[in-house]
Amino acid sequence: KNKEVCGRMVFAEGLVEEGYYGTPKGYVDITTDTDRVRSSLSYEKGGTISIDYYIEIVGVVRTRHLMNIQVKKENNDEPEVC
């Protein structure tokens, strides 16, 4: 089954962001609480982004999450322009 969901999460150290998570059955209120953000990104080499955060489904559960994103630069002579 292919069902659509939507939502938004904003990460900034110390930020508590209230939002929602939309599902085909309706919306759920969530809070995103960012504990720590670390980045070693550079245009020349890429790098990593690490985010330590909590998500709370308001009034139901609060869970901790660690997200690590690795960014690799493609081997192109010319940078991609958007």
Side-chain angles (χ1 to χ4, degrees):
K1 295 180 180 180
N2 211 0
K3 303 217 177 186
E4 185 176 317
V5 296
C6 63
R8 173 182 86 114
M9 295 189 334
V10 176
F11 299 105
E13 208 162 288
L15 177 68
V16 177
E17 175 81 3
E18 295 179 358
Y20 65 89
Y21 183 73
T23 72
K25 301 271 184 188
Y27 291 92
V28 176
D29 292 326
I30 65 167
T31 300
T32 305
D33 181 357
T34 306
D35 190 41
R36 185 176 53 190
V37 177
R38 298 288 180 258
S39 173
S40 66
L41 288 179
S42 74
Y43 180 78
E44 294 79 24
K45 298 179 184 179
T48 61
I49 303 170
S50 298
I51 306 170
D52 184 354
Y53 66 101
Y54 294 85
I55 293 180
E56 179 180 4
I57 298 175
V58 178
V60 178
V61 66
R62 178 179 164 96
T63 56
R64 182 179 183 199
H65 301 267
L66 303 171
M67 180 171 28
N68 294 302
I69 302 168
Q70 176 127 17
V71 179
K72 295 181 180 178
K73 184 171 179 173
E74 291 185 6
N75 293 327
N76 293 337
D77 292 335
E78 294 290 322
E80 186 174 324
V81 178
C82 300

